[in-house]
Every structure is written in structure tokens, then in C-alpha cells.
Amino acid sequence: MDKDTTPPYLSLFAALSYGIASMAMVFINKAVVMNYAYSMTLLTLQQMATALLIHFGRIMGWTRAKALNVDTAKKLILVSLFYNANVAFALASLKGVNIPMYIAIKRLTPLAVLVAGLFYKKGKHSKQVILSVSLTAAGVIIAALGDFSFDLFGYVMALISVFFQTMYLVLVEKSGAEDGLSSIEIMFYNSLLSLPFLLFLIIITGEFPSSISLLYAKSASFYFFLLFVLSLVMGIILNYTMFLCTIVNSALTTTIVGVLKGVGSTTLGFFLLGGVQVHFLNVSGLVINTLGGLWYSLAKYQEKLRRTAIPR
């Protein structure tokens, strides 16, 4: 899809839907993990459900997604590997870094995407985009100073996760723009190519078969069963909206929306979960971070309005 000809309302819808789905997924997954600690098995089942649903939808004619192509799969293998590496290192970082600091470090991704874009794009970002992303990153640093518990291993794992997430988002954008793949098709390839890697992980880490036995025992509870199914469904919705946002907007837009989602999740977490002490630097940093994200979103939306208004 050509980003220059994408209707402004579709760009806005893609960003909003991804932000809402991403925020909802945080709380749904937390509710599931509180009763079911095997996160890698949960991710494997989400990817499996996504691949099966798209494949079934293609057979039934519900989607226009093309059949599996070996050459396309080879091109997207790195997308799948970077996606899973991002998740793996993110999970490892949580062993030594608390959740507020984890979110703060992950918010450095937009700056990393901005830098990466200088190497693969012909044009340069506008001053407003650069300043807004810089303001967002400055807000992260200020917020981090208010709750700074240092753990070398955790921080290294989180920063490596930021690197893989950046490469993942950039490759997704390039795949959609250059190969003409739809968001559903990228979802299908990513899910299918993820499965061998994820199955290997849950076996060598010892999650399988204990995770399946526990899942069977827990499924007797209607509350847990409902949450688990909702988690699978939201996993599909989240992946679709993320790919859609990246294709019709950009990798940078997707990460900025992720930053704003993180602000919302953190704010709700203070009220719903508790256990996090509020400091002046935390609040100040989050305000600056939010203003930077809103500034960027407004600048990109106005930029798209101007492009679509130019006669072709």
C-alpha cells in the first residue's frame, strides 16, 4: 500500500486501533499470567491460533490472502526471527528490571527506529519529527531517573530487545512496501515461521509438557478459560493492527503509538495495581513523553493531509 495515497482517516484508525489493542493486551496477558506462568507456551498458542485462523479463512474465502509462497517465506524469515528474539530478550530482562523501568527502556525504540531509518530510506525526517521523538526520549530518561534500580544483566537484555524490536519493525515496513504484502499475509508468514523456533524454545526450557498439563487442569475454571481464549483472540487482533499501522503509516508511527500506550498502561497501573511509588521526576517525565508523542502524531497527520491534497 502506498503511504502517500493512504486516506488520512485510515492512518488515524490504524494508529488508534493498534494503541487500544496493545493496551488491552497488557492487562489481559497479566491476568492470564497471574494464573498461568508459562508465557512462551502462551505466545506459541497465540501464533498457532493466528496461523490456523488465517489459513482457514483463506480456504473459506473470507480473506484474499495469497497461498504460502516459499520465496516470500525466505524473504520474511528474518522478520520472524527478530520478532521472537525481541520477545525472548524482553522476557529475560524482566528477571532483573522492574516493570516501570522495563517500559521506560522499551520507549527508547522510536529513537532507534529513527536512527535506523537514516540507513534504509532515501529521504530524511522533518525537524518536527526529529524534535518530537527527541522530546519523547528525553521524557523517558527523566522518568527513569525517578525510579532507577540498576541491574546490569536486565538492562543489557532490555537494550538488546530494543535493537531486535527496531530491526523487526523496519523489516516489516520494508516487506509491506516492497513486496506488496497485506497485513494479514505478513501475519500469516510471521506466525507460521515463528512456530518452529517457539516450539524449540518451550522444549529446551522445560515448559513442555508441564505447560500443557497445567493448561488442561486450569481449563476447568470458566474464568480462566474465558481469559485464555480472550488472550488468543486479542493476540490475533494485536498482530493485525500492529502490521496494519506499520504498513499504512510507518515503523516510527507504530513505535510512537507503542510509547503512548506504555504511558497509558503505566498510568492505569499506578491506580489499578499499586506498589509503585510516585516521584516528581516520574510524573514530569511521563508528561514530557506524552507531549512528544502527541506532537509527533499531529505532525505526521498534517503531513499526510498535505501529501494527499497534492494533485497526482
Side-chain angles (χ1 to χ4, degrees):
M1 182 179 292
D2 189 348
K3 294 180 176 60
D4 291 339
T5 59
T6 302
Y9 69 86
L10 179 58
S11 300
L12 185 60
F13 169 77
L16 287 175
S17 59
Y18 167 61
I20 294 172
S22 183
M23 185 181 299
M25 192 63 175
V26 171
F27 292 96
I28 293 173
N29 272 345
K30 181 174 179 60
V32 174
V33 173
M34 287 176 63
N35 297 282
Y36 186 75
Y38 297 109
S39 58
M40 293 302 295
T41 300
L42 176 62
L43 177 60
T44 303
L45 293 174
Q46 287 174 345
Q47 295 289 51
M48 189 178 297
T50 300
L52 290 174
L53 180 63
I54 295 175
H55 178 66
F56 182 72
R58 187 181 63 81
I59 293 176
M60 297 298 294
W62 297 340
T63 175
R64 296 181 180 179
K66 299 176 184 177
L68 182 67
N69 182 278
V70 176
D71 292 333
T72 303
K74 290 179 180 178
K75 294 178 182 178
L76 291 177
I77 187 67
L78 282 179
V79 172
S80 178
L81 290 177
F82 283 141
Y83 172 86
N84 288 283
N86 165 41
V87 174
F89 280 103
L91 292 173
S93 70
L94 287 173
K95 295 179 180 179
V97 179
N98 59 58
I99 292 178
M101 276 310 307
Y102 165 76
I103 295 176
I105 295 173
K106 293 289 284 183
R107 285 176 187 153
L108 295 175
T109 304
L111 184 60
V113 170
L114 186 65
V115 173
L118 299 176
F119 294 94
Y120 80 92
K121 285 187 176 180
K122 296 180 181 179
K124 294 183 178 180
H125 292 287
S126 66
K127 289 184 179 179
Q128 285 206 43
V129 169
I130 295 174
L131 289 174
S132 61
V133 173
S134 300
L135 185 65
T136 302
V140 171
I141 296 173
I142 294 173
L145 292 175
D147 187 16
F148 209 83
S149 56
F150 184 76
D151 182 278
L152 180 59
F153 176 81
Y155 274 73
V156 170
M157 294 296 102
L159 289 172
I160 294 176
S161 175
V162 168
F163 168 78
F164 280 117
Q165 184 178 6
T166 300
M167 297 305 298
Y168 162 69
L169 289 170
V170 168
L171 282 174
V172 166
E173 183 178 4
K174 288 178 68 65
S175 298
E178 295 182 358
D179 299 336
L181 295 173
S182 68
S183 54
I184 292 180
E185 288 168 343
I186 295 182
M187 276 178 63
F188 179 66
Y189 281 103
N190 182 67
S191 300
L192 198 63
L193 294 172
S194 296
L195 289 177
F197 179 73
L198 290 172
L199 290 172
F200 175 73
L201 280 180
I202 64 175
I203 291 174
I204 64 170
T205 57
E207 282 199 13
F208 182 84
S210 301
S211 57
I212 302 300
S213 300
L214 181 60
L215 179 60
Y216 179 76
K218 288 281 187 179
S219 62
S221 168
F222 177 76
Y223 171 73
F224 175 79
F225 179 76
L226 181 64
L227 278 178
F228 194 84
V229 172
L230 187 59
S231 176
L232 296 180
V233 173
M234 284 304 302
I236 297 173
I237 295 175
L238 175 60
N239 283 333
Y240 174 76
T241 55
M242 179 178 62
F243 286 124
L244 180 65
C245 183
T246 302
I247 290 175
V248 303
N249 292 301
S250 67
L252 189 58
T253 299
T254 302
T255 50
I256 285 289
V257 173
V259 167
L260 294 176
K261 176 271 302 181
V263 173
S265 299
T266 301
T267 303
L268 288 175
F270 279 119
F271 295 101
L272 298 179
L273 302 176
V276 180
Q277 186 176 359
V278 178
H279 296 281
F280 173 75
L281 289 176
N282 290 117
V283 177
S284 300
L286 289 174
V287 170
I288 293 173
N289 178 276
T290 303
L291 290 176
L294 292 174
W295 182 12
Y296 168 81
S297 301
L298 179 61
K300 291 295 289 184
Y301 184 67
Q302 291 176 339
E303 188 177 276
K304 184 169 288 292
L305 284 176
R306 288 194 295 269
R307 285 202 301 264
T308 55
I310 298 176
R312 296 278 171 176

